[in-house]
Structures are given as C-alpha cells and as structure tokens.
Amino acid sequence: MRVLLPFLALYRRHWFLISLGMVLAVVTLLASIGLLTLSGWFLAGTALAGFAGLYTFNYMLPAAGVRGAAIFRTAGRYGERLVSHDATFRVLAHLRVFAFQKILPLSPGGIARFRQGELLNRLVADVETLDHLYLRVISPVLAAFVVILVLTFGLGFLDITLAYTIGGIMLGLLLLLPCVFYHAGKPYGKDITLQRSQYRTLLTSTLQGQAELSVFGALKRFRQSMTEIENNWLKSQQKQANLTGLSQAIMIFSTGMTVTLILWLAAAGVGEPNVGEHSQAGALIALFVFCTLAAFEALGPVTVAFQHMGQVISSAIRVSQLMHQKPEVIFPAHGPQTNSELNLEIKNVDFTYPGQPLPVLKSISLSLTSGEHIALLGKTGCGKSTLLQLLTRAWDINSGEIQLNQHPISHYDEATLRSMMSVVPQRIHVFSQTLRDNLLLAKPDANDDELTAVLQQVGLEYLLDTEKKLNCWMGEGGRQLSGGEQRRLGIARALLHNAPLMLLDEPTEGLDADTEQQILSLLHHHCQHKTLIVVTHRLTGLQHMDRICVMDDGRIIEQGKHTALLAQQGRYYQFYQRQQFHQLQSYPEQG
C-alpha cells in the first residue's frame, strides 16, 4: 500500500473537486435511501389509514418529500458523475505530466532497458489504471462510511436498537468484505496487469516489424505467442469476473438476511414503545425494511472496488519503477554562459555502454576551432554516432574530458547546452501533429514566414500546396512523408535552431543524388561561421571539409584534408576507391 502514497499526494492539488464529488456522492446516496424509505412508509401508512383516514392523514408532506428526494437523487447523481470524473481526469492529466517529467531525464540510458511498447504501456495504460484509486476505492468507501453514520444517527430517533443493528451490520461488512476480496483479487489483478503489458508490447513489436517477420517466416510464431498471452489474459479476467459475481452474491445474501432480521425484530416490537405500540407501527416496520434495502446500495461498489486494488497496486509499482530510477546524466542548475563562437576540445575520451563488456571509444582526442568543419568517416559500429551522443551528454564519458569554449561539458546546464547545438540524428522523430508544430519544436517563436522559408531551403515547399498549408497533419510517425522527406524536415529544424555547433548524423541518408548535392550546398552555406561535425559513410562533398577523421574500432586512425588523405593511400583511400568502383558498376555509361 505504501507505493500508493506518492500518487495519493497528487490528489491534494485537486482537493476541492474531489471533496465536492464525495459530498455529492453522499447526498445522492442519502437521497436514494430517503426516496425508498419515505415511499415505503407513505404507501404503508396510506394503506393502514384507509378510506376513513383520507381527511386526517397528511399525505401532502410525504408526497412532497418523495418528489424532493427523487429530484435530489437525479441531480446529485449527475453532479457527482460530472465532478468526480472531471477531478479524476485532472488528476490523471497531472499524473501523466508528473510521470513524464520524471521519465524524461532518464533518456536514453535509464529507459534503454525498456522496449518501446513496454514504456508506452507503463506511461499510458498503467497510469490510466490508477483512476480506480479515487473513482472505485476512495470515494465509494468514504461515502459509504458517512452514509452509515448519518443513517444510524437518523434512525436512532425512531428506534435505537434497530438503528444500531442496521448500522452495525453495514459497518461490519464495510470493514470485512473489502479486506477479504482485496486479498482474493490481488493475484488476479497482478496477472491482468502483467499480461496486458506483455500483450501490448508484443502487439507493438509485431506491427512495427510485420514486414521483417513475414520475410523470415516468424509472423505465425509471433501470432501464436500473442494468442497464448491473450487466452491467459482472458482467463485472468474471467477469474476476476467470477470473484465479482461472488462478492455481489454475498452482498445480496447479506441484504436479504439483514432485511429479514430487521423485519423480525420490528414485527416483534423490539423498540417498544417506539415501534411496537405506535399507532402507525406497521408503517414504521415498512420504513425500516425499505430503508435497509436502500442502504445496502451504498455497500454495492465497495467489494468490487477492492478487487481492483491488486491491479492498481501493480500498475503503481510499474510506474514507480520508472519514476524512481536515477538518471545516467545529471545537469547542474546553472552553468557558463554561451556566445556565438564555439570551440570544441576532446581529450583522451574513453566510453563503454553500461552493462557492455567492450569499450566503444578508446582514447579519442579531437580539437575544433570555431567555424571549422570536419567529417567523421568509418564503417558501421566504429563509434561515430556514439561520439555525437557524448557531445550532447546523452551519456557521460568514463574517462577523459570534453570541453566547450574551455569549460567542461558537464558544467553546462541543460538549457544552455541544448541552445549551443543543433542536432540531426539518424532517426528523425515526426510527431502526430501539424507541420507547423513539428517545426516549432526547434524555434517556438518562429513566424510563418520563417517556417515557409526554411521549407523552401530544404526543398519541402510542396508540402504547403495543400489547403491547410502549415496546418497540414503529419500523422503518426510522419507516415505521409518518405524517409528522405523526414530527413529534410530534421535538417529544417536544425536550420531553425541556428546554434553555433551543428551535429549531423548521416544528413543525406535516403536522398537522391541531386537532392543530396542541394542539401550539402545548403549546409555548407549555412554553416560558414559555425562549427560543424558530420557523421557519414558517404564520400560525397567531403572535399569541402576542413578535415576528415577516419574512425575504426573506436579510434581515430587517420585525419586530414581530402587530397592529403588520398595521397597517403590509407583507409580513406580504400574507401574512396571502393566507392568509385561501385559507381562505375552502377553507372557504366559514365565510365
């Protein structure tokens, strides 16, 4: 239960709406009980008075009470649903933001162990499950407790023994049944949470990799695994539904036995002279019987609610596992100020990914002056992209030092460090928002003229040909865009950000030859007075670089200008000859 305390603390932010919802829940229950109780007494009293008592029996006041209780019940239930759900949705929205704020600093190291589907499931489905905590647990239990106290106090004016009997039985059930069904439903809730997570994670992986699974003949095996998990999930839900049916059966049985007991006690005149010798004793008996039937309505949701506590606690544990992790990188609150120029110094840097036995970078040393352009070249896995990630402090180095403008990179606060760099990663993230929103990520205060101009620069001006122009919808993951278009959108963001250091990881991947030349020319012009690092495995445009660094096995093995490296006839020369050979084979007419 302790795991729920941090989430319960979030309710204090919306205490007014939550309290109002509980008050309306109590009013609704009391109105419902009053309606049935007064109706039963009124009908019984009218029948006992008979035709002879038509002129002496006051039927106007009870009739007005019945109508008033009906109005209060209807209005109260509507208001309670409206306020309670509004409060719950506000709490969930706050909880999602709170959880995301805790998770965001963990990227990428702290969340690398979680698959994308698993991470999404914890952030969405598990957080959503926590709404049971208020709607199905806190509100029904507190409302039932208040109703029992008010009911016992009110009935005590008519018959203290019957009032204590009803109140004692209801209070006993309120304390006993939730504990019993919490322990009975706990394992099912845990299984449902785990199986739901497994199913959605596997479903996400299957949908994302459907083409590859079909090619390698593994799609059938994945579907069988999904079917097996789904069947186990349905069995757990069925067991929980059986438990729900049992709790409702016990509640119905308890209601019937309590009504029978109250009818027997009232008929025997337990509360003499209040009931047994009252001139309307029969009507009061009906009052207590119908009141008992209506009062047990308050206990109906309680036993069902605590069956879901196992599911709520399991979800809370899963969310807490994310929120309580320590970030791999911690930024200071304040740091050195930045300027328009940027000098970079990398000294004897070593780096090994956490949990991996072999180092990725070994004694890397590199120096860049402001405005210098270099290219990092090498085969896949040699550490090029890792070096760029270290420059953005996605990870902290194991040894050595990285300095920006003569200050260690670890001394910069996150906002300042991000303002100094424009990054185009290998994978461009396109959000399910408008084209404008996807561009404003790089420069929130940019106007439409700036956004239009940068789209024209990268050759995406045709995206504005639709009626909605900058408001056109990109769709989930930018499905409407090709890989090359997504790449150019990422470059457009980098141009908008306009930082003194440009870090580009395969900026021309997926582009045709003409577009590649256009983008390289654009970048060369834009970065004339900026420090530029380009990671690439293609040799196009490298002759314009101030320096080319060839990497292999985590080390820089060659560096120099294009012509000088060709003259050395080393690794760069081998790359160049191999590319020329492939071009001749692909376009023999150009040879």
Side-chain angles (χ1 to χ4, degrees):
M1 288 289 187
R2 291 181 180 179
V3 72
L4 297 177
L5 295 180
F7 302 102
L8 288 173
L10 296 176
Y11 285 84
R12 290 181 297 183
R13 184 170 180 174
H14 306 283
W15 67 270
F16 178 75
L17 285 177
I18 291 174
S19 302
L20 180 60
M22 292 182 182
V23 170
L24 289 173
V26 171
V27 170
T28 302
L29 287 172
L30 291 177
S32 180
I33 294 171
L35 176 62
L36 188 58
T37 301
L38 189 58
S39 298
W41 175 84
F42 185 36
L43 292 174
T46 304
L48 292 174
F51 184 78
L54 182 62
Y55 298 100
T56 60
F57 185 76
N58 183 5
Y59 64 87
M60 295 295 296
L61 189 60
V66 170
R67 290 184 176 89
I71 293 173
F72 270 100
R73 184 184 68 167
T74 303
R77 181 157 297 174
Y78 175 79
E80 186 269 332
R81 292 290 189 270
L82 184 65
V83 173
S84 297
H85 283 78
D86 180 60
T88 301
F89 292 146
R90 290 177 185 271
V91 170
L92 288 180
H94 179 52
L95 178 57
R96 284 198 174 96
V97 173
F98 175 73
F100 189 76
Q101 288 176 339
K102 293 289 187 179
I103 294 172
L104 189 59
L106 301 178
S107 179
I111 60 176
R113 64 182 65 93
F114 297 101
R115 300 168 68 180
Q116 290 184 358
E118 172 68 11
L119 191 63
L120 181 64
N121 191 71
R122 293 191 186 217
L123 190 58
V124 178
D126 287 331
V127 170
E128 187 175 347
T129 302
L130 295 175
D131 70 349
H132 296 314
L133 194 58
Y134 170 65
L135 285 178
R136 295 193 178 185
V137 180
I138 298 177
S139 181
V141 171
L142 291 181
F145 181 73
V146 173
V147 166
I148 291 172
L149 294 182
V150 173
L151 191 65
T152 304
F153 177 78
L155 293 178
F157 289 99
L158 298 177
D159 192 299
I160 192 70
T161 304
L162 293 180
Y164 282 166
T165 301
I166 297 174
I169 293 175
M170 292 184 65
L171 186 60
L173 292 174
L174 179 64
L175 297 177
L176 177 63
L177 291 183
C179 296
V180 171
F181 283 99
Y182 162 68
H183 289 288
K186 185 177 180 180
Y188 302 143
K190 184 177 180 181
D191 291 341
I192 288 174
T193 303
L194 181 60
Q195 289 157 359
R196 178 186 63 193
S197 173
Q198 291 175 342
Y199 182 82
R200 292 181 175 179
T201 301
L202 188 58
L203 176 62
T204 302
S205 301
T206 303
L207 293 175
Q208 290 179 342
Q210 189 168 11
E212 290 81 1
L213 293 175
S214 300
V215 169
F216 292 101
L219 186 59
K220 184 178 180 181
R221 176 161 52 86
F222 268 67
R223 287 181 175 177
Q224 288 176 347
S225 299
M226 288 176 57
T227 301
E228 182 179 352
I229 295 174
E230 184 180 16
N231 289 336
N232 293 332
W233 187 11
L234 291 174
K235 288 179 182 178
S236 298
Q237 289 178 319
Q238 185 178 11
K239 292 178 181 178
Q240 191 177 61
N242 292 338
L243 198 62
T244 300
L246 177 61
S247 68
Q248 292 175 345
I250 292 176
M251 189 58 63
I252 293 173
F253 176 77
S254 301
T255 303
M257 293 300 295
T258 304
V259 168
T260 303
L261 176 63
I262 294 300
L263 181 61
W264 178 66
L265 292 175
V270 169
E272 293 181 359
N274 291 5
V275 174
E277 296 181 357
H278 197 278
S279 59
Q280 290 286 332
L284 289 178
I285 292 174
L287 181 148
F288 276 95
V289 170
F290 281 100
C291 181
T292 304
L293 286 172
F296 271 80
E297 179 186 346
L299 296 180
V302 174
T303 55
V304 178
F306 274 78
Q307 293 176 40
H308 296 278
M309 279 298 293
Q311 194 171 343
V312 171
I313 291 176
S314 297
S315 295
I317 291 174
R318 287 163 53 82
V319 174
S320 298
Q321 287 174 349
L322 282 177
M323 296 168 57
H324 293 163
Q325 289 192 61
K326 294 183 178 180
E328 297 285 342
V329 176
I330 299 177
F331 289 89
H334 304 283
Q337 296 299 314
T338 183
N339 52 54
S340 58
E341 295 185 353
L342 191 141
N343 298 298
L344 174 64
E345 188 76 25
I346 302 174
K347 302 178 181 178
N348 298 318
V349 167
D350 294 322
F351 177 71
T352 303
Y353 283 108
Q356 299 299 318
L358 299 177
V360 181
L361 297 178
K362 309 169 187 176
S363 301
I364 292 289
S365 294
L366 192 61
S367 179
L368 285 85
T369 59
S370 179
E372 187 175 3
H373 296 179
I374 73 167
L376 298 179
L377 183 69
K379 62 182 180 181
T380 302
C382 69
K384 307 186 301 295
S385 298
T386 299
L387 182 57
L388 290 195
Q389 291 185 4
L390 294 180
L391 295 179
T392 63
R393 281 204 77 193
W395 310 85
D396 274 338
I397 57 178
N398 301 130
S399 62
E401 191 173 29
I402 299 177
Q403 291 185 348
L404 294 176
N405 292 339
Q406 290 76 51
H407 296 285
I409 193 174
S410 57
H411 289 184
Y412 286 92
D413 61 278
E414 187 173 10
T416 301
L417 186 65
R418 300 290 176 252
S419 68
M420 299 169 67
M421 302 177 181
S422 292
V423 183
V424 179
Q426 284 189 10
R427 182 180 178 184
I428 304 298
H429 293 275
V430 181
F431 293 89
S432 184
Q433 289 291 336
T434 63
L435 178 58
R436 173 186 281 107
D437 293 331
N438 274 278
L439 290 173
L440 289 179
L441 291 172
K443 188 178 180 181
D445 59 345
N447 56 44
D448 287 0
D449 292 337
E450 291 179 90
L451 301 182
T452 302
V454 77
L455 288 175
Q456 291 174 346
Q457 286 179 303
V458 298
L460 292 178
E461 65 278 359
Y462 56 85
L463 295 179
L464 303 174
D465 293 340
T466 62
E467 294 182 0
K468 295 185 178 180
K469 297 187 180 298
L470 286 169
N471 293 321
C472 64
W473 198 259
M474 293 292 96
E476 183 179 356
R479 290 185 177 181
Q480 301 180 25
L481 304 179
S482 66
E485 289 173 331
Q486 293 182 19
R487 179 71 53 184
R488 283 182 281 170
L489 182 61
I491 294 173
R493 289 173 179 166
L495 298 180
L496 277 172
H497 191 51
N498 199 29
L501 175 61
M502 298 281 289
L503 304 176
L504 311 179
D505 196 348
E506 305 288 358
T508 58
E509 184 70 24
L511 303 181
D512 59 76
D514 292 338
T515 306
E516 181 181 22
Q517 291 293 340
Q518 175 191 351
I519 294 299
L520 290 175
S521 176
L522 170 65
L523 292 173
H524 180 71
H525 175 74
H526 178 79
C527 301
Q528 283 182 355
H529 304 291
K530 301 179 184 296
T531 306
L532 173 65
I533 301 179
V534 179
V535 168
T536 183
H537 65 275
R538 305 169 74 163
L539 306 184
T540 307
L542 297 189
Q543 65 273 17
H544 302 298
M545 291 291 174
D546 298 321
R547 200 181 344 151
I548 301 169
C549 299
V550 181
M551 295 185 63
D552 187 37
D553 194 26
R555 303 178 189 272
I556 297 178
I557 59 174
E558 290 179 1
Q559 56 179 313
K561 293 184 72 68
H562 172 74
T563 54
L565 290 178
L566 287 180
Q568 292 179 12
Q569 295 190 1
R571 185 66 60 86
Y572 182 76
Y573 176 80
Q574 295 174 7
F575 286 149
Y576 186 80
Q577 292 296 323
R578 189 180 301 117
Q579 188 179 68
Q580 293 296 318
F581 176 75
H582 288 314
Q583 286 181 349
L584 287 175
Q585 283 193 325
S586 301
Y587 306 99
E589 66 280 359
Q590 296 181 3

